[in-house]
Amino acid sequence: MNLLISTPLILLLIHRAHTRNSLTPAAILAATLTALIHASHASALPFTLLLTFYILGTGATKVKRAEKERLCVSSEGGHFTPGVGEGRGVRQVLANSAWASLCVLAGRAVVGCGVLEKYLGVSSSAGSEWVGRVVLVGVICNYAATTADTLSSELGILSPTPPHFILHPTTPCPPGTNGGVTPLGLLSGLLGSLSIALIAVFAPWDNENSLFPTTTTTTPLSAKLTALAYFTVIGLLGSLVDSVLGEVLQKSVVDVKTGKIVENHFGGEVIVGDGKDGKGSRRVVGGGRGWLDNNGVNAVMAGGMTGVGVAGWVWLGL
């Protein structure tokens, strides 16, 4: 990507995160490194998708913020305010972007070391083009899934209908419960995934490291529509997988006094209190085992959907 374009944007994002206290200092450093890795790719697509995820995610967080604050309570006491206070932490940043960064770095390593040429007998130019496409597919799948999940969580909590556990659809649960889904949340996730897919497929990207083979001057519309549907489905599946993982592997804690879900500002584990700390007693709802916190679930989901998305793209010959 052109450094004359990416550098001012990165500096602007750093300034915004610092002045608005939306990220901790360590998270700003992690986000800066992430942005630099994305911008190092020859195509502008990885950085653009990172920026799109950031814009859509922060925008969704601000939607009816006051109403969201009333629906959950903070693990530190008081109302839970997404993205406000001490700022989001390093693990929250990396959970949504680390796999995309790894795709970019792995692609550079494979091409730079000539792995395909040495061990598979593939020509340098053909190998570079194929690796370039696979890297972009991985990045797209990562952000389709994480954007769908983020919008589903941030907007689904506002649904007028109560959420139900994804694996037990007849059982209602409090708003914000891990594994809880609503029609509004599913629709929001679908639209988030579609937004990433539209940008990835139809934006006028440069030919170098193109998503589609460069053997022809123009890509058939049918190929673009197939790719659009593929990435949209991958993103929506990511949101559903995140809900399944949340219900099974993540613990949901409710404040007994208010009946509201207790959220950790940094996406970490919520401790079940006994009331002696002055924050009120808490109990676990649902059958989550507590093996992962919210950041862990997001990272596992993003990594899984990135891998599945790349494997499916290669297997289907898209």
Side-chain angles (χ1 to χ4, degrees):
M1 182 179 179
N2 192 326
L3 291 177
L4 294 178
I5 298 176
S6 62
T7 301
L9 290 175
I10 293 174
L11 292 175
L12 180 62
L13 292 175
I14 294 173
H15 175 73
R16 185 183 187 280
H18 175 69
T19 55
R20 301 198 178 189
N21 205 27
S22 59
L23 297 175
T24 64
I28 291 177
L29 180 60
T32 302
L33 180 60
T34 297
L36 290 173
I37 292 174
H38 283 55
S40 71
H41 195 277
S43 172
L45 179 56
F47 184 83
T48 303
L49 293 185
L50 172 64
L51 188 63
T52 302
F53 168 76
Y54 175 78
I55 293 173
L56 292 179
T58 53
T61 299
K62 295 178 181 179
V63 174
K64 295 187 177 181
R65 175 176 284 168
E67 184 174 339
K68 293 178 186 177
E69 292 178 19
R70 293 192 293 269
L71 295 174
C72 297
V73 295
S74 170
S75 59
E76 300 301 319
H79 293 303
F80 173 71
T81 310
V84 176
E86 300 177 47
R88 297 187 184 274
V90 174
R91 294 183 63 214
Q92 289 168 299
V93 171
L94 297 181
N96 291 299
S97 61
W99 291 105
S101 296
L102 287 175
C103 285
V104 173
L105 293 175
R108 292 176 67 90
V110 170
V111 173
C113 296
V115 173
L116 297 181
E117 185 177 6
K118 290 179 181 179
Y119 299 103
L120 299 179
V122 179
S123 67
S124 177
S125 59
S128 297
E129 181 179 339
W130 185 82
V131 170
R133 288 202 303 275
V134 169
V135 167
L136 291 183
V137 169
V139 172
I140 296 168
C141 290
N142 176 89
Y143 285 115
T146 55
T147 303
D149 176 56
T150 299
L151 267 60
S152 179
S153 299
E154 291 291 347
L155 301 179
I157 195 173
L158 298 171
S159 176
T161 58
H164 289 70
F165 286 108
I166 188 170
L167 297 180
H168 301 84
T170 60
T171 305
C173 54
T177 303
N178 300 311
V181 295
T182 64
L184 178 60
L186 295 175
L187 177 60
S188 300
L190 176 63
L191 294 177
S193 179
L194 178 61
S195 299
I196 294 294
L198 283 170
I199 292 174
V201 174
F202 287 103
W205 306 113
D206 48 80
N207 289 328
E208 187 175 7
N209 288 287
S210 172
L211 180 62
F212 302 99
T214 57
T215 53
T216 58
T217 55
T218 59
T219 301
L221 180 60
S222 59
K224 290 188 175 183
L225 292 177
T226 300
L228 178 70
Y230 182 81
F231 293 130
T232 302
V233 170
I234 287 292
L236 181 60
L237 285 177
S239 177
L240 296 175
V241 168
D242 189 272
S243 295
V244 171
L245 293 175
E247 181 177 348
V248 175
L249 301 180
Q250 189 177 355
K251 180 171 58 181
S252 292
V253 178
V254 67
D255 179 75
V256 174
K257 182 178 180 180
T258 63
K260 299 177 181 180
I261 289 293
V262 183
E263 293 277 5
N264 184 298
H265 178 74
F266 292 105
E269 181 184 4
V270 175
I271 304 301
V272 181
D274 56 7
K276 296 179 180 180
D277 56 2
K279 298 174 183 175
S281 59
R282 303 166 180 172
R283 64 180 177 86
V284 177
V285 293
R289 298 182 179 273
W291 292 350
L292 295 174
D293 58 20
N294 189 61
N295 296 322
V297 167
N298 289 343
V300 170
M301 181 279 293
M305 295 313 300
T306 298
V308 168
V310 169
W313 182 274
V314 174
W315 182 63
L316 293 173
L318 298 176

